[in-house]
Amino acid sequence: MRRVAVVAVAQTKFQRRRPDLMPAQMVYGVCKEVVAKAGIDRSEIDFTAAGSADYLEGRPFSFGQALRYEGAWPPINETHLEMDGGWAAYYAWIRLVTGKYDTALVTSWNKSSEASIHHVMNIALDPFYESAIGAGPIPLAALQARAYMNRTGVTSEHLAKVAVKNRRNALKNPYAQVKKDSTVQEALSSPMLSDPLHVADCPPISDGAVAIILAAEGKAERLCSRPAWVTGVHHASDSGIIGFRDLAEVPAVRAAAQGAYKMAGISDPLRDLDVAEVCETFSHQELMLYEGLGFCGPGEGGKLLDSGMTEAGGELAVNPSGGCLAADPIMCRSLVRLGEAALQVMGQAEERQVPGAKRALAHGTYGECLQGNIVWILEAD
């Protein structure tokens, strides 16, 4: 099996609204930039993969408008996934490791501002019991947060600490949407949306796009002086029916992580990793991910946070970019995490660079309450 690496990353600045750009125009910008960063011609891209959602754009086959801007026209091999861009990257990675292609461009885009997130996400729920009662991302996340808090003793102060940490980290990220140096008390004083979640605990609505280039060994070394090699990747999913799940547990996260760790030869993630970019779409989920990813024992997410080990200068920096609480373009969130982790390994994360980062974890998710998960391990030679 050939080694594959991320060799270039490009992303837009994520904003609450981008009325000045169509989705295809956002795609054109990041694809043009990422190809230039890799120093290759569009004709050298063997395969393109994209992730987006027609429901969020309000029209069928919306990805067709972006094909020529991805570099898939005149026709070359390409695919589109009606899901998060992180899984488009996984599909492209499979095509490269099997020897089918040498290079792939992966992109994803999202204009959440033009849709009602609550109503669109409600459609994906069980139509008889969950969708019918009007459930959506924030109320369901609140149920999960309360279940987790009841099981572990995590408090609202812990949730506020996550929000404060990540948005403070985002001050160094030029692409982040929400960045501020606030206090825990200010986070707790923000309006309550759905108990126990305050505004500070919830992600912003974001417009933007992201693109990466993957290259197989032999090609990657020529395109990047320090490629971010994929040494482990695995994904797993829980039931899409919320009522079938124990919301206080994240078995799909655990399964994805264990598969990636086994592939990468990681025995102690807290010791073996330097940085982690995780999809904490709500503040309590970062604490749940600490546990699911094996950074701490059951119920110890709050203690790990309190220890300062997950701060930007701690033993394992978690979300030095600010994570999803700083910008949450829904269909891009997992690909952004992969891109940010790759930038850390390549030493190109600018002000948010974790010194000496050589091995990074990227976590992606789709669905409600951490339903589907993917974990990547990236390493420098």
Side-chain angles (χ1 to χ4, degrees), residues 77-358:
N77 286 292
E78 67 84 25
T79 191
H80 173 266
L81 280 69
E82 188 72 12
M83 63 188 307
D84 187 293
W87 276 261
Y90 180 73
Y91 186 84
W93 173 80
I94 291 174
R95 303 301 290 269
L96 268 61
V97 297
T98 57
K100 181 72 173 178
Y101 305 112
D102 291 327
T103 57
L105 184 151
V106 184
T107 186
S108 184
W109 61 93
N110 187 82
K111 290 197 77 174
S112 300
S113 66
E114 296 185 354
S116 167
I117 303 301
H118 179 94
H119 289 94
V120 169
M121 301 306 287
N122 171 266
I123 295 172
L125 299 173
D126 167 68
F128 299 104
Y129 297 102
E130 295 166 357
S131 178
I133 63 172
I138 293 177
L140 291 175
L143 289 174
Q144 183 185 43
R146 181 58 67 193
Y148 179 68
M149 293 165 76
N150 289 343
R151 179 174 70 84
T152 62
V154 160
T155 66
S156 294
E157 285 75 14
H158 285 112
L159 273 59
K161 284 182 179 180
V162 171
V164 169
K165 172 183 74 73
N166 288 357
R167 288 174 178 140
R168 183 175 61 238
N169 288 347
L171 289 168
K172 296 183 178 181
N173 183 357
Y175 305 104
Q177 176 182 339
V178 180
K179 49 182 85 176
K180 59 175 69 175
D181 190 0
S182 58
T183 66
V184 169
Q185 189 54 48
E186 287 173 337
L188 291 171
S189 299
S190 63
M192 181 76 76
L193 291 182
S194 185
D195 186 44
L197 298 180
H198 296 260
V199 167
D201 298 311
C202 301
I205 294 173
S206 308
D207 287 358
V210 59
I212 69 169
I213 288 181
L214 293 169
E217 57 184 335
K219 185 86 169 182
E221 300 91 331
R222 297 198 296 271
L223 301 181
C224 181
S225 60
R226 186 184 168 97
W229 297 101
V230 178
T231 57
V233 60
H234 196 71
H235 67 94
S237 180
D238 209 331
S239 172
I241 301 177
I242 303 298
F244 286 179
R245 296 160 54 189
D246 179 355
L247 294 182
E249 301 283 351
V250 283
V253 175
R254 191 171 296 110
Q258 290 173 351
Y261 294 160
K262 182 178 180 180
M263 186 175 176
I266 290 177
S267 58
D268 184 348
L270 194 60
R271 180 198 64 198
D272 297 339
L273 297 170
D274 301 309
V275 59
E277 282 285 339
V278 303
C279 282
E280 56 3 314
T281 51
F282 294 89
S283 58
H284 68 280
Q285 291 181 354
E286 181 165 317
L287 302 178
M288 300 184 77
L289 288 167
Y290 291 172
E291 187 176 324
L293 294 170
F295 300 164
C296 64
E300 296 179 351
K303 293 180 182 179
L304 183 61
L305 178 71
D306 289 337
S307 72
M309 295 174 71
T310 59
E311 295 281 347
E315 184 173 338
L316 173 59
V318 177
N319 284 344
S321 70
C324 294
L325 290 175
D328 188 37
I330 295 176
M331 303 310 295
C332 308
R333 59 169 67 130
S334 301
L335 192 58
V336 171
R337 303 279 74 75
L338 178 60
E340 286 288 342
L343 290 172
Q344 292 287 344
V345 170
M346 293 190 289
Q348 298 177 12
E350 301 175 326
E351 286 189 62
R352 59 197 185 281
Q353 179 69 48
V354 174
K358 294 181 179 180

